[in-house]
Amino acid sequence: MKFHVSRLKASVCAALAVVAQGAVAQESVGQTVLVSATRIDMQDQDAPYASEVHTREDIERSGARSLYDYLALQTSLQVTPSYGNRYTPQISMRGYGSANGHQNVVISVDGRRLNNIDMAPQLIGSISLADIERLEITKGSGAVLYGDGATAGSIQIYTRARDGVSLDAYTGNYGTRGAVLAAGVVRDRFDLSATLDHGKFGGFSDRDPTGHRDQSEANTWRFAAGGRPTEALRLDFEAGASRIDTRYPNSLSLAQFRDSPAMSDSRNYTRQKLDSDHWSLGADFALTPEWRIYARHADEGKSSQYLPSSPSKYTYKSNEISVQFLRGGLALNAGVQSFDGDRKGADGVTTKDNFGGFLHGQYLFEQLTVSAGVRRERVEYGYKPLAGAALGQEEHLTSWEAGANYSLSPVLSVFASYSDAFLSPDIDRFFASEYDPLTWAFVGKRFNGFIEPAKSRMITLGANHLTDRNRFKASIFYTKLKNEIYLEPISYSNTNIDKSHKYGFEIQNSLQLMAGASAIVNYAWTRAVIDRESDGGGAYNEKELPGVSRHSLVMGLNFRVADTASMNITHTWRSKAWADGDFDNRNAARQRAYNSTDLVYKHRLSKAVEVYGAVNNLFDRENGLALESAWAGDRIYPIDFERTWKIGARVTF
């Protein structure tokens, strides 16, 4: 849902004009970039919050084949496979760590929430990268409009309407192959789009005892339709599904990893099937030139199965009704939202239902933009076991935000934002796993108690500087937390960190070096400190949160080789960190630094045909995810430890 205040119409028209003129990616540094996280489109340098925007041009230039690849290698986020699974990766923003970071950021696709009600990360593998028009990473903001879980911020994914037909096919080493077929039509009164995305990976680890490698196959389809029965009414329908079958390696000992990351231990690889079916219906109605009403319903059914175990089945239903008022520089948004989720498993049915109301306002003066908002949310839990008494709990939580942006000149602005946010526990946090003390075999779960929601207070200060040749953003932040949620590694129970804090700074810079050549730098420095935690007996006090790299850096260079060819090279680096589970910071085996250099070459043979080649992890760096385990010792999950290549072609009609 996009609404424009009068001051911003010229900016939107200018952006569309630039796209229509077909400006090449290497010369797009000075283009207008829009953000919509507050439901009000504006230039990103005018936003009263920190934002990191990735456009369709950025995605095309990167050569990434999946949303995971793009987030992991092209953004400031700390993204790693979830103990080997790339389709549900761990995502950390502003120091929340690889283990729990994904729960502290809300991810949505055209308003549909991807966050789960249990500890499972978001299923971003169900989103085709070919469908994405824009990615907005909003840091330290989103608690009013998105509520539960937006403690670090939010990621909004906006899809695009297709006009025409395209076919993209590729192949590579280690059994990599895939194809994306997309078609659509855009007319004055309606638009239709459809996408089929198939990808397969043969695996580069050694075969396990069953003869299988770490292979995977993903099939995704999506259909979207929109229309205007009248000038005042816009209707949208969207539906899609994904079928993912993946095998990924188990952890290795340090000695095994150093000997060969491709080694297979004595167990079979973990095999997981992930299925998702969803649909949504939305309406946007202009009651008057100043008043609009928006309604949306989304329905999703999911299944996660670790073979040979029985699957867990999820049902998610979300609804929103909101109104917006626009007059001059004033914009007000108010509404109610619900998100009802249940998980059916072998032990019974567990539910988590959220219902919230929000009010958010923004005013644009001549040089100053100010915003503020508040949200009140009710969270209800329920557990109905196959045998025994049912359990329930209810929480009432509040979040609020405020921000301001001041333009010092046409090219320079400064901003400040404050966010008071919350994260309610997921349904897995109330249970603890039990293991046989002799064999460490899993024997069942016990009720752990209803732990406290986490609450955060974050302040961000920043500056934006934009010229025709250079786009520069910088921000610093400080977060104070109470009851940060984590898994205590000794008792293996979910509980709360009494007090903790995080701070750091971020720099983004896009620079036009010369005609046909540009460079990017995206750097973040982050500290995450545990102030006090009684469950650790004092051993965790003043220690760093595990799984948080202090330094994160993406550097890129894009240049035109010829009039019809371009080259893009990027290097992604994340510094060492304490291994997941190492809360007392004593383990000599730490999370090693992550390194990957990636190269993409594109050549346009004609207006309709483009060929490309890509090499990932050019220098064959061995990367892994470190874990300290009380019962298994130091372990490493191998990730991105081989050089891979692929070649492909794209044809448009």
Side-chain angles (χ1 to χ4, degrees):
M1 180 180 63
K2 300 177 181 178
F3 303 120
H4 311 277
V5 295
S6 57
R7 179 187 172 190
L8 301 173
K9 288 183 178 178
S11 299
V12 177
C13 294
L16 294 175
V18 170
V19 174
Q21 292 168 7
V24 296
Q26 295 93 330
E27 298 172 349
S28 63
V29 172
Q31 288 186 15
T32 299
V33 176
L34 301 180
V35 290
S36 309
T38 59
R39 302 268 176 90
I40 307 165
D41 286 352
M42 63 172 56
Q43 296 182 37
D44 61 341
Q45 68 265 27
D46 295 332
Y49 51 83
S51 65
E52 179 182 332
V53 184
H54 298 264
T55 66
R56 185 67 209 173
E57 287 182 346
D58 298 324
I59 295 171
E60 294 283 356
R61 184 169 58 244
S62 72
R65 292 291 93 196
S66 69
L67 180 55
Y68 167 82
D69 290 338
Y70 191 85
L71 293 177
L73 300 175
Q74 302 292 327
T75 75
S76 65
L77 301 173
Q78 182 177 327
V79 182
T80 55
S82 180
Y83 305 107
N85 191 340
R86 301 166 69 90
Y87 298 98
T88 57
Q90 299 172 328
I91 300 176
S92 177
M93 180 197 299
R94 286 196 166 179
Y96 281 86
S98 54
N100 303 310
H102 66 276
Q103 295 193 325
N104 290 273
V105 56
V106 174
I107 304 179
S108 64
V109 180
D110 294 331
R112 178 172 62 89
R113 189 181 180 101
L114 295 187
N115 294 55
N116 290 299
I117 62 172
D118 57 9
M119 294 179 70
Q122 298 89 339
L123 182 58
I124 68 168
S126 65
I127 311 300
S128 174
L129 188 64
D131 282 330
I132 297 175
E133 177 67 24
R134 188 171 82 254
L135 288 167
E136 290 183 21
I137 302 172
T138 306
K139 302 177 180 180
S141 183
V144 169
L145 287 178
Y146 300 99
D148 191 3
T151 43
S154 59
I155 301 173
Q156 296 87 41
I157 301 172
Y158 300 98
T159 59
R160 56 178 178 154
R162 301 279 189 164
D163 195 10
V165 180
S166 67
L167 174 62
D168 188 341
Y170 59 90
T171 187
N173 60 343
Y174 297 109
T176 297
R177 62 179 183 269
V180 180
L181 175 63
V185 59
V186 177
R187 297 295 182 264
D188 291 339
R189 286 287 186 176
F190 72 94
D191 55 80
L192 301 171
S193 296
T195 306
L196 296 174
D197 193 332
H198 166 76
K200 196 168 186 178
F201 173 63
F204 43 58
S205 289
D206 296 338
R207 298 184 185 277
D208 68 8
T210 66
H212 290 99
R213 298 185 186 273
D214 52 328
Q215 58 209 63
S216 63
E217 182 173 354
N219 294 286
T220 299
W221 67 264
R222 177 180 178 270
F223 172 78
R228 288 191 176 276
T230 68
E231 287 296 331
L233 177 63
R234 164 79 183 187
L235 298 176
D236 290 286
F237 173 79
E238 187 261 356
S242 64
R243 301 289 181 264
I244 298 171
D245 189 345
T246 180
R247 284 181 169 89
Y248 43 95
N250 303 303
S251 60
L252 302 175
S253 68
L254 289 176
Q256 289 174 323
F257 183 84
R258 288 166 180 164
D259 183 45
S260 172
M263 181 183 298
S264 171
D265 66 1
S266 59
R267 299 168 293 169
N268 300 337
Y269 289 151
T270 300
R271 185 183 180 190
Q272 186 177 7
K273 285 190 173 184
L274 295 157
D275 296 339
S276 172
D277 297 271
H278 70 269
W279 64 271
S280 62
L281 182 64
D284 176 4
F285 184 62
L287 298 171
T288 71
E290 295 179 335
W291 287 94
R292 306 182 76 98
I293 186 169
Y294 171 75
R296 184 180 181 88
H297 171 80
D299 195 298
E300 182 176 17
K302 298 203 300 186
S303 174
S304 174
Q305 182 179 15
Y306 292 92
L307 275 70
S309 302
S310 58
S312 294
K313 297 184 177 181
Y314 304 78
T315 301
Y316 293 155
K317 298 180 184 297
S318 60
N319 296 280
E320 177 180 344
I321 298 177
S322 60
V323 295
Q324 185 179 68
F325 175 76
L326 296 173
R327 176 180 291 174
L330 175 65
L332 294 173
N333 288 291
V336 293
Q337 299 168 332
S338 67
F339 185 87
D340 299 336
D342 68 65
R343 183 183 68 186
K344 296 179 181 179
D347 57 344
V349 179
T350 312
T351 62
K352 181 182 179 183
D353 299 336
N354 294 59
F355 183 83
F358 66 90
L359 173 64
H360 183 271
Q362 183 168 293
Y363 195 87
L364 282 74
F365 296 94
E366 186 66 26
Q367 294 175 270
L368 176 66
T369 302
V370 293
S371 68
V374 64
R375 182 186 186 94
R376 183 68 171 171
E377 190 159 334
R378 182 189 71 227
V379 186
E380 293 181 328
Y381 297 95
Y383 175 55
K384 296 180 180 179
L386 296 179
L391 302 171
Q393 175 76 355
E394 183 175 307
E395 297 280 357
H396 293 267
L397 301 163
T398 301
S399 60
W400 64 277
E401 294 179 331
N405 181 299
Y406 186 76
S407 296
L408 297 172
S409 74
V411 299
L412 178 63
S413 65
V414 293
F415 68 89
S417 66
Y418 176 84
S419 175
D420 191 304
F422 63 85
L423 168 65
S424 65
D426 64 77
I427 60 175
D428 286 338
R429 301 291 184 177
F430 304 130
F431 301 92
S433 299
E434 292 187 320
Y435 298 88
D436 185 288
L438 297 178
T439 64
W440 287 106
F442 176 76
V443 296
K445 293 184 178 181
R446 59 177 173 80
F447 183 60
N448 185 49
F450 292 106
I451 64 176
E452 295 293 325
K455 296 182 179 180
S456 68
R457 292 178 290 172
M458 182 188 298
I459 186 169
T460 302
L461 304 175
N464 304 310
H465 186 262
L466 173 64
T467 68
D468 291 339
R469 299 183 62 85
N470 189 42
R471 176 179 291 272
F472 177 82
K473 294 184 177 184
S475 60
I476 59 174
F477 71 92
Y478 179 85
T479 308
K480 193 170 184 178
L481 294 106
K482 181 179 180 182
N483 294 324
E484 187 172 359
I485 300 170
Y486 81 114
L487 178 66
E488 206 287 314
I490 304 302
S491 63
Y492 215 66
S493 295
N494 290 287
T495 183
N496 301 101
I497 297 174
D498 299 328
K499 290 185 178 181
S500 56
H501 72 278
K502 310 175 192 298
Y503 59 95
F505 66 87
E506 302 145 342
I507 295 174
Q508 304 170 51
N509 195 37
S510 301
L511 176 64
Q512 190 76 42
L513 299 173
M514 62 184 70
S518 62
I520 62 166
V521 175
N522 200 333
Y523 172 75
W525 179 83
T526 309
R527 292 290 309 277
V529 180
I530 301 170
D531 299 319
R532 187 178 74 245
E533 167 50 345
S534 58
D535 288 334
Y540 306 156
N541 295 353
E542 305 300 326
K543 304 298 183 180
E544 293 189 47
L545 189 72
V548 178
S549 296
R550 288 197 183 185
H551 306 277
S552 175
L553 175 66
V554 177
M555 299 185 298
L557 177 64
N558 184 275
F559 54 94
R560 206 165 37 219
V561 179
D563 290 341
T564 58
S566 65
M567 182 82 73
N568 189 72
I569 183 168
T570 59
H571 182 77
T572 305
W573 170 71
R574 293 189 292 270
S575 63
K576 291 191 290 186
W578 298 106
D580 278 358
D582 186 14
F583 286 89
D584 56 6
N585 296 173
R586 293 183 178 178
N587 198 342
R590 298 181 63 179
Q591 170 66 52
R592 61 172 53 198
Y594 179 93
N595 282 279
S596 182
T597 303
D598 308 293
L599 184 67
V600 179
Y601 174 79
K602 294 186 176 183
H603 192 99
R604 183 162 292 281
L605 301 178
S606 68
K607 185 177 180 180
V609 180
E610 180 185 68
V611 295
Y612 58 85
V615 180
N616 291 88
N617 197 9
L618 179 64
F619 298 109
D620 211 18
R621 302 298 294 268
E622 296 180 347
N623 299 298
L625 175 67
L627 173 69
E628 181 191 19
S629 171
W631 55 272
D634 298 328
R635 310 293 292 178
I636 300 287
Y637 286 86
I639 59 173
D640 301 339
F641 59 87
E642 290 281 7
R643 181 190 301 111
T644 61
W645 60 263
K646 56 196 163 200
I647 55 175
R650 179 181 302 161
V651 182
T652 57
F653 305 93

